[in-house]
Amino acid sequence: MARDNDPMPQSHEYDVLIIGSGAAGLTVALNLPEHLKVCLVSKAEISSGATLWAQGGIAAVLDDQDSTENHVQDTLAAGGGLCSEDAVRFTVEKSKESIEWLIGTGVNFTRDTDAQLHLTREGGHSHRRIIHAADATGHAVSTTLTAQAQARPNIELMSGRVAVDLITNRKLALPGNRCVGAYILNLDDNHVELFRARFTVIATGGASKAYRYTTNPDGASGDGIAMAWRAGCRVANMEFNQFHPTCLYHPHAKSFLISEAVRGEGGLLKLPDGSRFMDRFDKRGELAPRDIVARAIDHEMKRLGADHLYLDISHKPADFIRHHFPTIYEKCLAFGIDITRESIPVVPAAHYTCGGIVSDERARTDINQLYVVGEAGFTGLHGANRMASNSLLECLVYGRAAAADITRREADIPPPPEAPAWDESQVRDSDEDVVISHNWDELRHFMWDYVGIVRTTKRLQRAKHRVDLLSREIGEFYSNYRVTNDLLELRNLVTVSDLIICAALQRKESRGLHYTLDYPGLLHEARDTVLIPTTYRTPSP
């Protein structure tokens, strides 16, 4: 029931509501015409998502020695035969203009002494095509785009807001298959607010917090994927969870990854005795795609009973290391590790969700006026394994595509209908928060143990049994208590974990990031794993 002196929940109306403030959401906002009233909401501070921590860079064809075809073929090869070639070509062909737009916003990319953009190379790439800002590209992109958004009078930025659920015509008992906004929790007063909008964009990132070890920030709890699934959107390829091979292994180093660019510039993976091992797993050695490198490290750790291995770039000149990797150098030094003189202890960690909400080249989903951009979406670009530095490119290309589609359609889309305020009259504050923390820990432990880098059918079935129990328990909790950030994140993580497990059980082969001991070979035909919710309706053209 309502508490004394509680403020009345607020109601808002916009032309475009963007949920998520990383590169994807900001790109959409900044490419919309300035006569549209736009709201961009973020869980924590604006620019606190995964984009901020991206170290490596953005893949694009910018060098005369490179070509669109090279980038396309590299991406298709890394994707394990499951990429949509149309989506890959669409993305790569628009890479140069997207980078030019980004440079135009003021992002200060690293340049050579002759003022040319410095391009580096990462695993899976046949050419140097990674544009970067030292080893803190995400920070440069995120802070620059945020500053641009803050300067636009038509864009309102709201932090401390957590999306609860999408509002659709079906939920309002109205005809049609349309999204008309979302209910969003205001963390300042713990009330759920009504946000109505003609267009809604999901840009919430991935779901790597479903795992015990991850490189992602705390907000990566699969909120957008879970909300879209509940609203009636299909999701695809959720079994393909990319584990970054090299996360810094240190008790106080939370979620700090060691960029793939370290291996691209000559870093070597080593066992505790100092010997190399990657050549035994792939002829490309340290430059093999991430899934191969992560499995190799996982294999060697289990074989040796080691809790971590090592990445060594100390054979390079100290000035070279400090110049190319200043963030990594300073971070490691803060933990007593001088990477110019010693190896870096590393361990694989959940890093990227390759599947997500099914969308097209315009970033449209199965629900009218609902878009998805970035890691929350499934475009077909990544296939069974995302190639390094294609993710920020996807945010830019599809963010601009979504904005262009909204711009084309906005004159024809009427204002959103009226919707009821969030009803808190039948719930109470929880005095059992320990249940949430316990269930959170249980979920992330069994996902790591049973649905990790190497899987078996029996492990997946055990995980499915556990997630079903958690789902029922959390559903009851959600129905009876006032919502909180922790409860909403746990609810969403349980949903996306179930989607990951169900997709993994359906795939009877080992392909890309999905490796199962029960089906080590490849099927002759590569097919996406598309999950369809009971609330799904065939989308209109």
Side-chain angles (χ1 to χ4, degrees), residues 410-429:
E410 61 99 359
D412 301 322
I413 302 301
E418 294 298 321
W422 183 261
D423 183 8
E424 297 181 339
S425 62
Q426 303 300 313
V427 296
R428 62 187 188 275
D429 289 324

PDB file of all heavy atoms in Angstrom, residues 410-429:
ATOM      1  N   GLU A 410       7.730   9.385 -38.730  1.00  0.00           N
ATOM      2  CA  GLU A 410       7.179  10.109 -37.580  1.00  0.00           C
ATOM      3  C   GLU A 410       5.939  10.937 -37.907  1.00  0.00           C
ATOM      4  O   GLU A 410       5.052  11.085 -37.068  1.00  0.00           O
ATOM      5  CB  GLU A 410       8.260  10.972 -36.909  1.00  0.00           C
ATOM      6  CG  GLU A 410       8.874  12.041 -37.775  1.00  0.00           C
ATOM      7  CD  GLU A 410       8.261  13.404 -37.508  1.00  0.00           C
ATOM      8  OE1 GLU A 410       7.348  13.489 -36.669  1.00  0.00           O
ATOM      9  OE2 GLU A 410       8.692  14.365 -38.160  1.00  0.00           O
ATOM     10  N   ALA A 411       5.814  11.430 -39.133  1.00  0.00           N
ATOM     11  CA  ALA A 411       4.643  12.232 -39.483  1.00  0.00           C
ATOM     12  C   ALA A 411       3.378  11.391 -39.553  1.00  0.00           C
ATOM     13  O   ALA A 411       2.259  11.926 -39.453  1.00  0.00           O
ATOM     14  CB  ALA A 411       4.883  12.933 -40.822  1.00  0.00           C
ATOM     15  N   ASP A 412       3.530  10.067 -39.701  1.00  0.00           N
ATOM     16  CA  ASP A 412       2.365   9.184 -39.864  1.00  0.00           C
ATOM     17  C   ASP A 412       1.951   8.483 -38.578  1.00  0.00           C
ATOM     18  O   ASP A 412       0.932   7.782 -38.564  1.00  0.00           O
ATOM     19  CB  ASP A 412       2.669   8.119 -40.924  1.00  0.00           C
ATOM     20  CG  ASP A 412       3.004   8.734 -42.277  1.00  0.00           C
ATOM     21  OD1 ASP A 412       2.370   9.741 -42.630  1.00  0.00           O
ATOM     22  OD2 ASP A 412       3.898   8.205 -42.954  1.00  0.00           O
ATOM     23  N   ILE A 413       2.734   8.608 -37.519  1.00  0.00           N
ATOM     24  CA  ILE A 413       2.449   7.888 -36.277  1.00  0.00           C
ATOM     25  C   ILE A 413       1.754   8.828 -35.293  1.00  0.00           C
ATOM     26  O   ILE A 413       2.308   9.862 -34.912  1.00  0.00           O
ATOM     27  CB  ILE A 413       3.747   7.326 -35.660  1.00  0.00           C
ATOM     28  CG1 ILE A 413       4.445   6.404 -36.655  1.00  0.00           C
ATOM     29  CG2 ILE A 413       3.435   6.585 -34.356  1.00  0.00           C
ATOM     30  CD1 ILE A 413       3.621   5.222 -37.121  1.00  0.00           C
ATOM     31  N   PRO A 414       0.556   8.469 -34.860  1.00  0.00           N
ATOM     32  CA  PRO A 414      -0.201   9.354 -33.953  1.00  0.00           C
ATOM     33  C   PRO A 414       0.375   9.333 -32.535  1.00  0.00           C
ATOM     34  O   PRO A 414       1.213   8.473 -32.206  1.00  0.00           O
ATOM     35  CB  PRO A 414      -1.602   8.739 -33.975  1.00  0.00           C
ATOM     36  CG  PRO A 414      -1.366   7.289 -34.268  1.00  0.00           C
ATOM     37  CD  PRO A 414      -0.196   7.249 -35.209  1.00  0.00           C
ATOM     38  N   PRO A 415      -0.066  10.267 -31.702  1.00  0.00           N
ATOM     39  CA  PRO A 415       0.376  10.254 -30.301  1.00  0.00           C
ATOM     40  C   PRO A 415      -0.023   8.947 -29.626  1.00  0.00           C
ATOM     41  O   PRO A 415      -0.976   8.274 -30.055  1.00  0.00           O
ATOM     42  CB  PRO A 415      -0.365  11.450 -29.685  1.00  0.00           C
ATOM     43  CG  PRO A 415      -0.711  12.316 -30.834  1.00  0.00           C
ATOM     44  CD  PRO A 415      -0.959  11.407 -31.995  1.00  0.00           C
ATOM     45  N   PRO A 416       0.682   8.573 -28.562  1.00  0.00           N
ATOM     46  CA  PRO A 416       0.330   7.324 -27.865  1.00  0.00           C
ATOM     47  C   PRO A 416      -1.006   7.483 -27.148  1.00  0.00           C
ATOM     48  O   PRO A 416      -1.381   8.584 -26.729  1.00  0.00           O
ATOM     49  CB  PRO A 416       1.475   7.147 -26.869  1.00  0.00           C
ATOM     50  CG  PRO A 416       1.972   8.536 -26.623  1.00  0.00           C
ATOM     51  CD  PRO A 416       1.829   9.253 -27.935  1.00  0.00           C
ATOM     52  N   PRO A 417      -1.765   6.396 -26.996  1.00  0.00           N
ATOM     53  CA  PRO A 417      -3.031   6.466 -26.268  1.00  0.00           C
ATOM     54  C   PRO A 417      -2.800   6.665 -24.776  1.00  0.00           C
ATOM     55  O   PRO A 417      -1.676   6.499 -24.281  1.00  0.00           O
ATOM     56  CB  PRO A 417      -3.664   5.098 -26.549  1.00  0.00           C
ATOM     57  CG  PRO A 417      -2.497   4.193 -26.765  1.00  0.00           C
ATOM     58  CD  PRO A 417      -1.465   5.033 -27.463  1.00  0.00           C
ATOM     59  N   GLU A 418      -3.856   7.011 -24.084  1.00  0.00           N
ATOM     60  CA  GLU A 418      -3.780   7.104 -22.631  1.00  0.00           C
ATOM     61  C   GLU A 418      -3.476   5.726 -22.042  1.00  0.00           C
ATOM     62  O   GLU A 418      -3.843   4.693 -22.609  1.00  0.00           O
ATOM     63  CB  GLU A 418      -5.084   7.643 -22.059  1.00  0.00           C
ATOM     64  CG  GLU A 418      -5.373   9.085 -22.441  1.00  0.00           C
ATOM     65  CD  GLU A 418      -4.318  10.039 -21.919  1.00  0.00           C
ATOM     66  OE1 GLU A 418      -3.849   9.836 -20.769  1.00  0.00           O
ATOM     67  OE2 GLU A 418      -3.941  10.976 -22.654  1.00  0.00           O
ATOM     68  N   ALA A 419      -2.802   5.719 -20.906  1.00  0.00           N
ATOM     69  CA  ALA A 419      -2.469   4.457 -20.237  1.00  0.00           C
ATOM     70  C   ALA A 419      -2.574   4.668 -18.734  1.00  0.00           C
ATOM     71  O   ALA A 419      -2.341   5.781 -18.237  1.00  0.00           O
ATOM     72  CB  ALA A 419      -1.056   4.008 -20.615  1.00  0.00           C
ATOM     73  N   PRO A 420      -2.931   3.626 -17.996  1.00  0.00           N
ATOM     74  CA  PRO A 420      -3.080   3.785 -16.545  1.00  0.00           C
ATOM     75  C   PRO A 420      -1.733   3.932 -15.852  1.00  0.00           C
ATOM     76  O   PRO A 420      -0.712   3.424 -16.326  1.00  0.00           O
ATOM     77  CB  PRO A 420      -3.764   2.487 -16.119  1.00  0.00           C
ATOM     78  CG  PRO A 420      -3.348   1.481 -17.156  1.00  0.00           C
ATOM     79  CD  PRO A 420      -3.254   2.250 -18.444  1.00  0.00           C
ATOM     80  N   ALA A 421      -1.739   4.639 -14.734  1.00  0.00           N
ATOM     81  CA  ALA A 421      -0.538   4.719 -13.906  1.00  0.00           C
ATOM     82  C   ALA A 421      -0.239   3.343 -13.318  1.00  0.00           C
ATOM     83  O   ALA A 421      -1.108   2.465 -13.240  1.00  0.00           O
ATOM     84  CB  ALA A 421      -0.735   5.746 -12.790  1.00  0.00           C
ATOM     85  N   TRP A 422       0.983   3.128 -12.902  1.00  0.00           N
ATOM     86  CA  TRP A 422       1.390   1.875 -12.262  1.00  0.00           C
ATOM     87  C   TRP A 422       0.621   1.700 -10.948  1.00  0.00           C
ATOM     88  O   TRP A 422       0.520   2.620 -10.150  1.00  0.00           O
ATOM     89  CB  TRP A 422       2.891   1.912 -12.005  1.00  0.00           C
ATOM     90  CG  TRP A 422       3.469   0.658 -11.423  1.00  0.00           C
ATOM     91  CD1 TRP A 422       3.767   0.420 -10.109  1.00  0.00           C
ATOM     92  CD2 TRP A 422       3.834  -0.516 -12.139  1.00  0.00           C
ATOM     93  NE1 TRP A 422       4.293  -0.834  -9.964  1.00  0.00           N
ATOM     94  CE2 TRP A 422       4.347  -1.443 -11.195  1.00  0.00           C
ATOM     95  CE3 TRP A 422       3.773  -0.898 -13.484  1.00  0.00           C
ATOM     96  CZ2 TRP A 422       4.808  -2.703 -11.555  1.00  0.00           C
ATOM     97  CZ3 TRP A 422       4.227  -2.149 -13.849  1.00  0.00           C
ATOM     98  CH2 TRP A 422       4.739  -3.041 -12.885  1.00  0.00           C
ATOM     99  N   ASP A 423       0.061   0.525 -10.752  1.00  0.00           N
ATOM    100  CA  ASP A 423      -0.761   0.259  -9.568  1.00  0.00           C
ATOM    101  C   ASP A 423       0.091  -0.344  -8.454  1.00  0.00           C
ATOM    102  O   ASP A 423       0.565  -1.464  -8.574  1.00  0.00           O
ATOM    103  CB  ASP A 423      -1.910  -0.685  -9.934  1.00  0.00           C
ATOM    104  CG  ASP A 423      -2.849  -0.946  -8.755  1.00  0.00           C
ATOM    105  OD1 ASP A 423      -2.697  -0.270  -7.708  1.00  0.00           O
ATOM    106  OD2 ASP A 423      -3.723  -1.818  -8.885  1.00  0.00           O
ATOM    107  N   GLU A 424       0.303   0.414  -7.384  1.00  0.00           N
ATOM    108  CA  GLU A 424       1.067  -0.067  -6.225  1.00  0.00           C
ATOM    109  C   GLU A 424       0.161  -0.344  -5.030  1.00  0.00           C
ATOM    110  O   GLU A 424       0.640  -0.576  -3.917  1.00  0.00           O
ATOM    111  CB  GLU A 424       2.123   0.969  -5.829  1.00  0.00           C
ATOM    112  CG  GLU A 424       3.175   1.219  -6.904  1.00  0.00           C
ATOM    113  CD  GLU A 424       4.213   2.245  -6.465  1.00  0.00           C
ATOM    114  OE1 GLU A 424       3.924   3.040  -5.548  1.00  0.00           O
ATOM    115  OE2 GLU A 424       5.319   2.236  -7.035  1.00  0.00           O
ATOM    116  N   SER A 425      -1.146  -0.338  -5.249  1.00  0.00           N
ATOM    117  CA  SER A 425      -2.082  -0.417  -4.121  1.00  0.00           C
ATOM    118  C   SER A 425      -2.113  -1.790  -3.468  1.00  0.00           C
ATOM    119  O   SER A 425      -2.507  -1.909  -2.303  1.00  0.00           O
ATOM    120  CB  SER A 425      -3.492  -0.035  -4.582  1.00  0.00           C
ATOM    121  OG  SER A 425      -3.962  -0.951  -5.572  1.00  0.00           O
ATOM    122  N   GLN A 426      -1.721  -2.833  -4.207  1.00  0.00           N
ATOM    123  CA  GLN A 426      -1.851  -4.187  -3.673  1.00  0.00           C
ATOM    124  C   GLN A 426      -0.516  -4.816  -3.270  1.00  0.00           C
ATOM    125  O   GLN A 426      -0.443  -6.012  -3.030  1.00  0.00           O
ATOM    126  CB  GLN A 426      -2.523  -5.093  -4.728  1.00  0.00           C
ATOM    127  CG  GLN A 426      -3.884  -4.600  -5.182  1.00  0.00           C
ATOM    128  CD  GLN A 426      -4.878  -4.497  -4.043  1.00  0.00           C
ATOM    129  OE1 GLN A 426      -5.001  -5.421  -3.233  1.00  0.00           O
ATOM    130  NE2 GLN A 426      -5.574  -3.368  -3.959  1.00  0.00           N
ATOM    131  N   VAL A 427       0.544  -3.999  -3.205  1.00  0.00           N
ATOM    132  CA  VAL A 427       1.849  -4.543  -2.853  1.00  0.00           C
ATOM    133  C   VAL A 427       2.381  -3.852  -1.607  1.00  0.00           C
ATOM    134  O   VAL A 427       1.894  -2.804  -1.198  1.00  0.00           O
ATOM    135  CB  VAL A 427       2.869  -4.378  -4.009  1.00  0.00           C
ATOM    136  CG1 VAL A 427       2.443  -5.166  -5.220  1.00  0.00           C
ATOM    137  CG2 VAL A 427       3.050  -2.902  -4.361  1.00  0.00           C
ATOM    138  N   ARG A 428       3.391  -4.447  -1.013  1.00  0.00           N
ATOM    139  CA  ARG A 428       3.995  -3.880   0.196  1.00  0.00           C
ATOM    140  C   ARG A 428       5.512  -3.938   0.077  1.00  0.00           C
ATOM    141  O   ARG A 428       6.063  -4.644  -0.768  1.00  0.00           O
ATOM    142  CB  ARG A 428       3.532  -4.640   1.434  1.00  0.00           C
ATOM    143  CG  ARG A 428       3.924  -6.113   1.453  1.00  0.00           C
ATOM    144  CD  ARG A 428       3.277  -6.831   2.641  1.00  0.00           C
ATOM    145  NE  ARG A 428       3.764  -8.189   2.811  1.00  0.00           N
ATOM    146  CZ  ARG A 428       3.278  -9.239   2.163  1.00  0.00           C
ATOM    147  NH1 ARG A 428       2.295  -9.082   1.284  1.00  0.00           N
ATOM    148  NH2 ARG A 428       3.754 -10.442   2.389  1.00  0.00           N
ATOM    149  N   ASP A 429       6.192  -3.218   0.940  1.00  0.00           N
ATOM    150  CA  ASP A 429       7.651  -3.269   0.963  1.00  0.00           C
ATOM    151  C   ASP A 429       8.109  -4.640   1.438  1.00  0.00           C
ATOM    152  O   ASP A 429       7.516  -5.231   2.340  1.00  0.00           O
ATOM    153  CB  ASP A 429       8.214  -2.192   1.892  1.00  0.00           C
ATOM    154  CG  ASP A 429       8.034  -0.799   1.320  1.00  0.00           C
ATOM    155  OD1 ASP A 429       8.146  -0.666   0.095  1.00  0.00           O
ATOM    156  OD2 ASP A 429       7.764   0.136   2.094  1.00  0.00           O
TER     157      ASP A 429
END
